[in-house]
Amino acid sequence: MSGIHVSTTINGDPVEFVCQPGETLLDVLRDRLRLTGSKDGCGTGDCGACSVTVDGRLVCSCLVLGAEAEGREVTTIEGLADGENLHPLQSKFIEHAALQCGICTPGFLVAAKALLDRNSNPTEEEIRFALAGNLCRCTGYDKIVRAVSAAATEVRKQEGRKQRRSF
Amino acid sequence: MAHDTSFTNQEFKVIGTRPPRPDGVDKVTGRAAYGADTFAPGQLVGLILRSPHAHAQIRKIDTSRAEKLKGVKAVITSDDLPDLTNGDRAMLDILENCMARGRALYDGHAVAAVAAIDAETARKALKLIKVDYKRLPHVTDVDEAVKPDAPIVQPYVRTAGVQPPPTKASNISQISEFGHGDVEAGFAQADFIVEESYKTEQTHQGYIEPHACLASVGPDGQGELWVTTQGHFTFRNQCAALLGMDVAKLKVTASEIGGGFGGKTHVWMEPVALALSRKANRPVKVVMSRDEVFRATGPTSSTSVDVKIGAKKNGRITAATATLRYQTGAFPGIWGMLGAMTAYACYDLKNVKTVGYNVLVNRPKVAAYRAPSAPMAAFAVESTIDLLAAKVGMEPVDFRIKNAAKKGTKASYGPTYGPIGIGPTLEAVKNHPHMRARLGKNQGRGMACGFWFNFGGQTCTDLNIGVDGTVNLTVGTVDVGGSRASLSLIAAEELGIPYERIKCNVADTSSLGHNDTTEGSRGTFSSGMATIFAARDAIEVLRERAAQTWEIDVKDVKWEGGRAVPKGVRHSNLGTLTLEELAAASPNTGGPIAGHNEVVADGAGVSFASHICDVEVDPETGATKVLRYTVVQDAGKAIHPDYVEGQLQGGAAQGIGWALNEEYIYGKDGRLQNPGFLDYRIPVCSDLPFIDTEILEIPNPNHPYGVRGVGETSIVPPLAAVGNAVSNAANVRLTHVPMSPPRILKAIKNRRSNATTG
C-alpha cells in the first residue's frame, strides 16, 4: 500500500496530500482535508450532493479519483463565498427558504453556479434540467428553482455594475 | 364553510413573518456538521457485514482471520451484544434488527461488524469473515405472507387481536378493527356500491444523508454518540438499555440532520457502533452506504387493500369498509393498524368498519414514513370515492364536500372531532382556479384528500437571558425542516423582542430533560408550546426583578413590548425597564434570568389536506408528466409560512414519486434488486412543476397560537390525487402504485382489448 503524492489547488489555495489509488476525490476532500461541505449521498454519481468543479467543469467528486486532482483547480462549496460576502446564490437560497434539511444544498449551489457561469439568464426549464442531477428530498424543488432564478437576476445586475464601472 | 376562529383571533407581531433561518449561512457555506461530518482523535472506521440471503440460519461465523488482519481493532457479532432486555420482546426485536441472532431475516440484515484503522482495512476484514448460512424458505409479498402455508418469519409471533388467542405461529402479528354503526344495514340502504382492491409497493423515505454516527465508549462505562437522528433522547435510552449502560452516562448529540421523514426515528447501527467502540476502546465512525440504507433501514409498508363503499342517489355515503394488509418487514409493527385508523378519517360516516392486518415478511423492518400508513389507505379509499362519485353522477369534489367530516363528527377511529379543516380545504379546492383550467388531449385532473393525527409528546425547553439581553432558547426536538426559525419567532413574540436577538439551539441529552423523538409533526407544535411557557416563566422573573427595582408589588408590573411597565397612575413616574436593562442589572438583582418548561404536549390538532393534480399520460409509452399541482392544507397557524409551504411542497413531491416511480423490487431470491438512486428513482427537478400551496388557518384550540403541526399530511393525498388524474387521462382505473409506465401501458392495453372483445 503506497500512497500517491498529489499537488493541486483547492478553492484557490495550493494543497498537497497523499492518497491511496482507490480513494475518490470526495474521500480526500472529506476525510483527509476535512472539507466536509461536499456530501456523500450515494457514492455512485446519482445524487449530486458531492458536486464540485474541476478546472471549471462540474463533476461528482465521488466519481473522480483523488489522484486525478493533480495539477488541477478544484472548487468546492467552501470556495463559493467571497470572504464574508455570500454569493448571490447563497443569499437567495436563504432568502427564498430553498433549503430544509440542507444536505443537498452544497451540491445544488455548486451545480447552480456552474449553470450561471455559462448562462446567467436561464429559463425555468433550463434551471430544472441543469439541476436534474441533484436530488433533493425535502423541498419538491419549487423554492430552489425560484432562488436560482432570483440569483441569476442578481448576478446579471452585478455584472452590469462591473461593466459600467470598467467603462 | 364557516369555521370557528373566535377563541384565537390573536394579533401577532412576528408570528407569520418570514425571516431568514438561523442555520442558513452554515448550510449554504458547507459549515453545518451532519452525521458524517465530525472526527475524533484516533477514530476507527466501522463497517457492517450484511446477509446476502432473504432468510437463512446462521450456523457459524468465523471471525478469526479478520481479527488477525493488521489494523483491525475489533470484530463483533451478536455474541458481543448479549440480550439484556429482561423479557422485553420489543426491545429484543430492536437488538435483533441491529444484529442478527442465529437467523438472518432479510437481505441486508447485519450479521457482524468490524472496526479498523481505515476504510480499506475494514473492507478487507469484512471479506475475511466467513459466515456459514443455511438458506431457509422466505416470503416477501404481503398477500403471500398471510397464506396458511407461507414460511414463518418470526416463530414467536401469535396473532394478537383475535379470540381465543392462537397457539400457532403466524405472519399476522396483529389484527385491529375500528369503526361504528352497522355496515351491513348501511350497504342495504345504498343505491350504488363500489368494491375495488388496490396494491401499493414499498418505498423508502429517501433522505439524501445516509445514517451516520461517531461513537465513543470508555472503559469507565461513559460514552458519547454523535448521530444523525430525529430523536437523540430516544436513541440514548435505547442504546443505553441495549448495551447495559447508565442512561446519564451516555451523551447523545444530534448532528444536523440531512432528512429523516420518519426513517431516523429508529436505531439501526448505532448500538453496533457503540459496541465496536467499547470493544476497540477507540472512537468508531460508522457511515452507511446508500445500498445499506435501502437494504437495511426502514422503508414503508407495501400493502394490499380492499375497499367497499355504498351511497344513496343523493350522494350521501351509507356505509364503508376496508380491509388493509400492511407488511411490517421482519419485525412486528403497528402499520396496518394506523392504516385502518386513518382510512376514513376525512368522512362523516354513520356505518364504517376497517380491519388492519400487520404482516411479517422477509424484508427490512418497516419504519415510519411521513404520516406513516395513511397514504396507502388514502389511495384505496380516495380512488374508490372517485369511482362512486362517478356512479352517483356527482363531481368528485362535491361528493367529498357532501360527506366530509366536521366539528362534532365521530371519527371512524374513535374520537369526536373539534374544529377541523377538511371542509374548508375542499371548499378551497372547489373554488381554486386550478379546477377550472382547461385540459388538453391525454390530460386528466384528479383530486383527493388526506388526514393525519399529529402528535405532541414529552417536551422540555430552557430559555436563558444573557447579560446583554439576547436570548438562548434551548430545545430538545431535532430541527428537521426549519423549526429553529419558527421557535425563535415564538420566543420573540412572547418576549416582545426582535427575532434576531434569539439564538435557538438543539441541546444534547446531557444538557436538557427528555424530549420525545421529533415525529408526528410535533417539532413546532410541542416545542413551540414549551417555548411559550418557558418564555412566560422568564417574564415572571423579569417582572419580579422590575418590581424589586422599583420597590413595588409584582402585581403592579406588566410585560409589554419587550419591557416591564408599571401599572396605574400611582406608578406613572417610574418609567419602564427594558429586557436589556433588566438583564444587565441581573447580577445584582438575584442572578441569572431564565425560564423553563416541561410538558406533555397533549392536544395535537388533527390535520387535513386536499390536493389537485393535472397529468398528461403518453399512451404510447405509458409515461406520466405532472403538469400542475396544488396543495391546500390546514396549518392551524403558520408560524413561519415559508417553511410551512416547504413542508406542503416536499410532501407532495414525495407522494408524486411514490405514485409514479418509486418501488422496492425484490427478485424471486428475496433480494432487493434496486438498492440505489439510479434504479430507485426519486423525482428530480425536471420531473416536477412548481407546486402551488394554499395554507388555511383553522386554529387548534389546544395550542396557545392554534398550531396543528404541518409536516406529514401533505404526503397523504398525492397517491390518490395522481391516481385519479392518471385514471382520468388514460380513461382506465389504475389500482396499483407506483403507476409506472409498464403498469399504465398494461392497463391501457387491457382496456382496449376489453373494448374490442366486449
Side-chain angles (χ1 to χ4, degrees), chain B residues 64-387:
Chain B
S64 56
R65 287 181 65 207
E67 280 160 16
K68 281 182 203 132
L69 183 70
K70 204 170 177 187
V72 170
K73 300 296 176 185
V75 182
I76 66 166
T77 65
S78 60
D79 291 344
D80 299 276
L81 288 161
D83 177 9
L84 307 173
T85 60
N86 202 18
D88 182 343
R89 185 63 225 195
M91 281 301 282
L92 185 56
D93 281 347
I94 293 173
L95 186 67
E96 187 174 6
N97 187 45
C98 291
M99 187 68 79
R101 308 179 79 77
R103 249 175 352 120
L105 297 169
Y106 55 90
D107 167 37
H109 198 172
V111 295
V114 302
I117 52 166
D118 57 29
E120 197 178 340
T121 310
R123 278 194 293 269
K124 275 185 192 157
L126 282 193
K127 286 189 183 151
L128 294 174
I129 298 173
K130 292 292 162 228
V131 186
D132 179 12
Y133 292 106
K134 183 193 171 200
R135 288 181 63 179
L136 299 169
H138 65 268
V139 59
T140 55
D141 180 81
V142 64
D143 287 326
E144 294 296 321
V146 296
K147 289 181 178 166
D149 56 345
I152 291 293
V153 178
Q154 289 282 16
Y156 83 86
V157 167
R158 306 286 178 274
T159 308
V162 287
Q163 288 302 335
T167 52
K168 234 180 99 199
S170 165
N171 287 332
I172 302 169
S173 65
Q174 188 192 28
I175 301 174
S176 19
E177 236 184 83
F178 298 90
H180 53 253
D182 181 342
V183 289
E184 288 317 315
F187 283 124
Q189 293 163 17
D191 296 313
F192 305 101
I193 293 176
V194 174
E195 273 189 89
E196 189 56 81
S197 294
Y198 302 88
K199 283 200 93 153
T200 69
E201 295 301 328
Q202 185 157 36
T203 57
H204 195 276
Q205 298 84 349
Y207 31 83
I208 307 301
E209 182 201 27
H211 298 261
C213 69
L214 175 59
S216 180
V217 183
D220 56 1
Q222 302 193 55
E224 293 193 15
L225 181 69
W226 165 275
V227 61
T228 176
T229 172
Q230 291 175 244
H232 45 315
F233 292 91
T234 307
F235 273 38
R236 172 185 67 168
N237 296 353
Q238 291 187 350
C239 288
L242 295 176
L243 289 152
M245 296 172 73
D246 292 336
V247 165
K249 292 180 189 161
L250 177 60
K251 180 172 106 176
V252 181
T253 307
S255 70
E256 292 294 339
I257 180 170
F261 316 109
K264 289 175 183 165
T265 59
H266 300 236
V267 294
W268 305 102
M269 80 314 186
E270 294 80 6
V272 174
L274 287 162
L276 281 171
S277 172
R278 182 164 63 184
K279 193 163 183 179
N281 203 21
R282 297 259 294 262
V284 177
K285 187 170 183 173
V286 179
V287 180
M288 280 197 190
S289 67
R290 181 56 55 182
D291 174 279
E292 289 180 284
V293 173
F294 275 113
R295 287 166 68 210
T297 67
T300 187
S301 307
S302 50
T303 74
S304 155
V305 182
D306 308 322
V307 172
K308 181 178 176 186
I309 311 178
K312 282 190 170 301
K313 282 182 193 150
N314 66 7
R316 197 72 179 104
I317 294 173
T318 57
T321 61
T323 304
L324 309 99
R325 293 166 292 272
Y326 282 46
Q327 59 89 352
T328 65
F331 297 93
I334 58 169
W335 311 115
M337 180 183 82
L338 290 183
M341 290 173 82
T342 59
Y344 287 107
C346 291
Y347 296 104
D348 179 21
L349 302 174
K350 235 178 173 170
N351 307 298
V352 57
K353 182 179 164 183
T354 60
V355 186
Y357 289 75
N358 293 317
V359 182
L360 295 159
V361 296
N362 295 107
R363 294 196 189 204
K365 180 176 98 162
V366 166
Y369 179 15
R370 202 171 202 157
S373 303
M376 307 82 124
F379 172 64
V381 167
E382 292 293 295
S383 298
T384 311
I385 289 278
D386 257 34
L387 290 169

Side-chain angles (χ1 to χ4, degrees), chain B residues 704-723:
Chain B
Y705 293 175
V707 170
R708 285 185 188 272
V710 294
E712 294 168 287
T713 312
S714 52
I715 202 174
V716 183
L719 276 60
V722 175

